[in-house]
Amino acid sequence: MTDTAALPPRVLLERWDAQQTAYVAHRELRFQSMLDILRLGLRESFHVLDLACGPGSLSDRILRAFPQARVTAVDYDPVLLRLAGDVLAEYGDRATVVDTDLVRADWAEPLAGERIDAVVSSTALHWLSPSQLLRLYTALADLLPPGAVFLNADHLRYGPGNETLSALSDRHDAEVQRTAFGAGADTWDAWYELAVAQPGMPLLAAERERRFADRPPQPLAPLHFHLSALRTAGFAEVGTVWQYLDDYVVFARR
Ligand SMILES: C[S@@+](CC[C@H](N)C(=O)[O-])C[C@H]1O[C@@H](n2cnc3c(N)ncnc32)[C@H](O)[C@@H]1O
């Protein structure tokens, strides 16, 4: 589907959400589990860092659910950053969107001096290799005060020894995608084509191409890797708060 008329940011976000739900069957449930942990585990007023925020889906849900919360949303894709900025503008100074590359050692520099009470991420950290993940988790442990929480929602694929679960997850993914695309959801490629056809986007799309040209898919980092890496990084308590097949929400407390 490729309509090129200018679309309001919220319409693009809704179509992004439908597109992502084709790849993440229970995306709203995993978001809800993250909101529950923030509500139950933090004071009323808190500052959340949304890592690899995309167009702002999770930040938007947090800002809507917690009227006293602030969110800093970071990403490295200029197209998605522009959209996140447009979508989150309605929250005024409760939302800040920051361009930073999580792979770089100095990615957290723009956050210097900020107190962060929670870090969240969804469907994103699989872009990082296991060594980059360990470095990120170590940086987060340095950044966060005692008691702060980390929540990462992602497909953490089954590895050797879990062939049956792996095959069932693949079949479930295929079934969910068939149903979603049959019902009219955009594919990833179709959504991007639509987004970069919006006014002001073509230059940002070229910059995106440049930035992501050397980012091949990364080796598998299964659940046990994330839990061990978080412990090694210095988090006091680690575990999971939600799971559906190979889709998890990992929890860690500083
Ligand atoms: C599938 S999207 C998920 C976006 C959003 N969290 C959501 O759930 O809708 C993956 C995101 O990871 C971001 N990303 C990938 N590598 C990154 C990096 N090195 N630094 C910052 N963001 C990155 C991409 O730009 C993209 O926005």
Side-chain angles (χ1 to χ4, degrees):
M1 196 186 307
T2 53
D3 31 306
T4 49
L7 292 171
R10 284 265 161 204
V11 170
L12 280 170
L13 181 68
E14 278 164 22
R15 283 177 70 162
W16 168 273
D17 284 337
Q19 174 255 111
Q20 284 288 295
T21 304
Y23 301 104
V24 181
H26 300 294
R27 187 165 176 262
E28 288 305 325
L29 272 178
R30 52 135 96 143
F31 279 155
Q32 189 55 53
S33 76
M34 298 167 95
L35 296 181
D36 287 345
I37 298 299
L38 297 181
R39 190 185 71 254
L40 298 167
L42 300 178
R43 291 166 299 122
E44 216 169 300
S45 158
F46 49 80
H47 181 194
V48 179
L49 172 62
D50 182 1
L51 294 180
C53 62
S57 303
L58 180 51
S59 294
D60 182 49
R61 284 161 177 75
I62 293 169
L63 289 161
R64 191 177 305 272
F66 305 107
Q68 295 189 49
R70 272 199 313 130
V71 171
T72 299
V74 308
D75 205 280
Y76 190 50
D77 179 332
V79 172
L80 297 179
L81 282 164
R82 164 70 63 84
L83 187 52
D86 290 346
V87 164
L88 302 178
E90 71 177 74
Y91 298 105
D93 61 8
R94 293 175 57 217
T96 308
V97 176
V98 175
D99 183 356
T100 195
D101 181 1
L102 294 174
V103 164
R104 287 177 56 113
D106 62 355
W107 70 269
E109 250 174 35
L111 305 167
E114 291 277 359
R115 183 194 155 95
I116 292 165
D117 303 293
V119 177
V120 298
S121 188
S122 77
T123 327
L125 298 186
H126 58 267
W127 279 85
L128 274 58
S129 69
S131 62
Q132 289 167 343
L133 273 173
L134 180 55
R135 200 168 62 188
L136 176 75
Y137 289 163
T138 305
L140 290 178
D142 287 346
L143 191 68
L144 293 176
V149 298
F150 168 75
L151 292 164
N152 177 32
D154 212 348
H155 279 293
L156 306 178
R157 300 297 182 189
Y158 293 114
N162 280 132
E163 283 74 14
T164 307
L165 286 168
S166 181
L168 290 170
S169 295
D170 289 351
R171 264 178 246 155
H172 185 256
D173 284 349
E175 192 177 85
V176 170
Q177 285 170 36
R178 240 187 344 266
T179 306
F181 298 141
D186 296 307
T187 61
W188 170 269
D189 288 342
W191 186 89
Y192 243 96
E193 207 179 312
L194 180 69
V196 302
Q198 301 303 306
M201 287 296 196
L203 280 178
L204 299 177
E207 173 61 9
R208 175 186 193 271
E209 287 306 310
R210 192 190 66 74
R211 289 184 176 193
F212 284 92
D214 62 345
R215 308 279 168 116
Q218 295 301 329
L220 189 74
L223 174 66
H224 63 82
F225 174 86
H226 286 264
L227 298 179
S228 311
L230 286 161
R231 262 189 221 105
T232 304
F235 282 86
E237 187 179 341
V238 303
T240 54
V241 294
W242 187 87
Q243 179 191 356
Y244 189 89
L245 289 170
D246 61 2
D247 194 15
Y248 293 87
V249 177
V250 170
F251 167 91
R253 185 180 60 77
R254 184 70 181 98

